[in-house]
Amino acid sequence: MQLRYAFRLDPGPGQRVALARAFGCARVVYNDAVAARERARREGAAFPSAGVLSKTLITEAKQSRERQWLSEVSAVILQQALRDVERAYTNFFSSLKGSRPGVRVGAPRFKSKRDARQAIRFTANARWKITEAGRLLLPKIGEVKVRWSRRLPSVPSSVTVIRDAAGRYFASFVIETDPGADLARMPEADNLPSVGIDLGLTHFAVLSDGRVIDSPRFLRRAEKKLKKAQRELSRKQKRSNNREKVRLKVARAHAQVADARREFHHQLSTQLIRESQAVAVEDLAVKALARTRLGKSVHDAGWAQFLAMLEYKAQRYARVFVKVGRFEPTSQVCSVCGVRDGPKPLHVRTWACTHCGTVHDRDHNAAKNVKQAAGLAVTACRAQVRPELVPAQREAAGSHGIHTGTRAAQRHSTR
């Protein structure tokens, strides 16, 4: 299984200049490739192949006066920029045909030097390495200091250097994990219970065994600070140095909220996977809920990110992960006798079953029904349910540089 391990980088002043040059060159090659494809589309000609683009936009461009500065960076990151264009067009055409799952994606667009996030990728051909002193040696950039928070389980196949909106630098390593070592890290699943989870806003999650996890509400707690910083940003003159300073201040405040939320999701999802042999959740329509008057609270909870973590960790550690259909009446059915008592408004938090008289807590009863519905789904096929493959997300690789003592040692990685 492939995972991504992300670590904070501390490049020096000269290395920051070299990285900015590498980001710019990769962006120019990417934009040139998109322009060449769009020109061919307008003229009705065949799209140029990857080999033709590589020869025209990299090899020949280095010998021209307008693009001779492309030779100042590693050729590998330029080739990877062309690969990104090919992948973007493949996803676009697959989405048009309906063969690509998920939301529909648009055609590739030009990248701007003012984009909040910049990235370059080094493969094994670039001959990058980790030195004995623990630094990351990158071609034509130098040895960059890395904040190691854990060991890499195997030799990485590639590394992506990223600069985020807050001006922070990260190195994201792609590694191949050992399934046996992953299973040894977790207790045996045979003697562990199954759990159903009901997600909410008042409480982040209520479990079928009665446990209640309060919602940290990271965005709500930092809202006053964010409003003040955003107000200060709106008063600065556009494209001025002072505005750039305040923009970084706003970006760092948002990054702190996102990092804290991600760390909370990682710790809770790992705890649930460790303590359960099967996890059942409700398939929520997060996008639809985010368009309601509770949209800010829905985004603050981050349900989609949490469910994605549960899914890939269940796959990694050989646990069962089941999603119950969103139209399952988990809040209307009595978990004791199974009688459907009809819909109830959100302000009704406790109710008594009209058939058996059992008094239910709304969320706890829903978590029990989620567990029961998942169990029915498992036994109906008379086979064990295993999750499907899920794509890795770089954002799910720990708190990205926010060291909080023991929390920093509990970071987890994603594919």
Side-chain angles (χ1 to χ4, degrees):
M1 181 178 183
Q2 283 190 339
L3 301 177
R4 283 191 176 272
Y5 278 55
F7 302 91
R8 182 80 177 269
L9 296 179
D10 290 324
Q15 294 172 345
R16 290 175 183 266
V17 174
L19 286 173
R21 184 185 303 114
F23 292 143
C25 291
R27 183 177 61 250
V28 167
V29 172
Y30 183 96
N31 291 340
D32 288 345
V34 173
R37 297 287 295 262
E38 289 300 312
R39 190 183 312 113
R41 182 188 63 83
R42 290 194 301 267
E43 297 174 355
F47 284 157
S49 62
V52 173
L53 290 177
S54 177
K55 179 181 178 181
T56 305
L57 302 181
I58 298 179
T59 305
E60 296 179 356
K62 288 181 179 180
Q63 302 173 1
S64 64
R65 179 176 299 180
E66 294 80 7
R67 293 284 192 269
Q68 61 181 356
W69 35 264
L70 290 177
S71 58
E72 299 177 2
V73 301
S74 173
V76 173
I77 63 176
L78 305 181
Q79 295 289 347
Q80 294 302 312
L82 294 181
R83 288 179 178 269
D84 292 340
V85 175
E86 292 297 322
R87 187 181 301 108
Y89 273 103
T90 300
N91 294 337
F92 170 59
F93 291 126
S94 299
S95 181
L96 286 180
K97 297 177 182 177
S99 58
R100 184 180 186 272
V103 297
R104 185 171 178 176
V105 297
R109 296 180 296 180
F110 295 109
K111 292 185 178 181
S112 171
K113 64 180 180 180
R114 295 186 177 87
D115 286 345
R117 185 176 182 270
Q118 302 285 341
I120 52 176
R121 184 168 58 255
F122 296 88
T123 59
N125 296 333
R127 298 182 180 179
W128 62 273
K129 67 176 182 179
I130 300 174
T131 64
E132 296 181 356
R135 292 177 177 263
L136 179 61
L137 178 59
L138 300 174
K140 297 189 178 182
I141 294 177
E143 297 183 3
V144 184
K145 183 180 178 182
V146 185
R147 299 185 189 179
W148 299 103
S149 58
R150 56 192 180 273
R151 291 186 177 182
L152 294 174
S154 62
V155 179
S157 60
S158 66
V159 59
T160 303
V161 179
I162 303 164
R163 187 188 67 194
D164 66 358
R168 303 177 301 178
Y169 293 84
F170 299 95
S172 178
F173 299 93
V174 176
I175 57 95
E176 190 77 25
T177 61
D178 182 10
D182 289 339
L183 294 179
R185 294 175 56 187
M186 291 290 174
E188 292 291 336
D190 297 337
N191 300 325
L192 297 177
S194 301
V195 64
I197 304 176
D198 179 69
L199 299 176
L201 297 178
T202 304
H203 302 292
F204 178 79
V206 177
L207 309 185
S208 57
D209 57 9
R211 285 181 291 173
V212 177
I213 292 91
D214 292 331
S215 179
R217 299 182 180 179
F218 296 106
L219 179 62
R220 294 292 186 180
R221 286 159 49 186
E223 202 167 20
K224 184 176 180 180
K225 177 181 178 181
L226 291 172
K227 285 183 178 180
K228 182 179 179 181
Q230 192 67 45
R231 190 184 306 114
E232 185 179 358
L233 176 65
S234 65
R235 294 171 179 172
K236 300 299 180 183
Q237 185 178 358
K238 291 186 176 181
R239 298 189 180 182
S240 64
N241 292 334
N242 287 335
R243 182 181 177 85
E244 179 62 20
K245 294 177 183 178
V246 181
R247 187 200 66 79
L248 285 176
K249 182 180 179 181
V250 174
R252 287 165 184 162
H254 280 285
Q256 186 176 6
V257 173
D259 290 343
R261 182 188 298 114
R262 187 181 304 111
E263 187 76 11
F264 168 74
H265 289 165
H266 267 298
Q267 293 186 10
L268 180 58
S269 59
T270 302
Q271 179 185 356
L272 293 175
I273 292 297
R274 179 182 295 275
E275 298 176 353
S276 310
Q277 67 170 334
V279 178
V281 297
E282 189 175 4
D283 186 16
L284 299 174
V286 179
K287 286 189 176 180
L289 292 172
R291 291 194 293 265
T292 65
R293 60 184 180 86
L294 301 175
K296 182 180 290 188
S297 297
V298 171
H299 285 300
D300 192 10
W303 292 332
Q305 178 179 257
F306 176 69
L307 295 183
M309 290 182 183
L310 277 177
E311 189 170 0
Y312 91 81
K313 289 180 182 180
Q315 178 189 353
R316 180 182 182 184
Y317 298 114
R319 299 298 201 254
V320 178
F321 179 79
V322 183
K323 278 188 177 182
V324 177
R326 63 186 61 174
F327 299 108
E328 188 73 22
T330 56
S331 298
Q332 305 177 22
V333 177
C334 175
S335 59
V336 176
C337 63
V339 172
R340 185 169 179 175
D341 206 11
K344 302 166 184 62
L346 290 177
H347 69 270
V348 177
R349 309 314 302 173
T350 59
W351 57 281
C353 177
T354 57
H355 183 265
C356 65
T358 306
V359 178
H360 295 289
D361 176 80
R362 181 193 185 100
D363 298 332
H364 188 203
N365 178 73
K368 290 181 178 180
N369 288 329
V370 168
K371 178 182 177 181
Q372 293 177 5
L376 293 175
V378 172
T379 57
C381 300
R382 297 182 180 179
Q384 193 176 26
V385 177
R386 287 295 185 219
E388 299 178 354
L389 297 177
V390 293
Q393 301 178 1
R394 189 202 73 85
E395 290 79 5
S399 58
H400 295 307
I402 296 182
H403 299 282
T404 56
T406 57
R407 284 189 179 182
Q410 296 176 357
R411 290 181 179 177
H412 303 281
S413 58
T414 65
R415 169 182 335 186

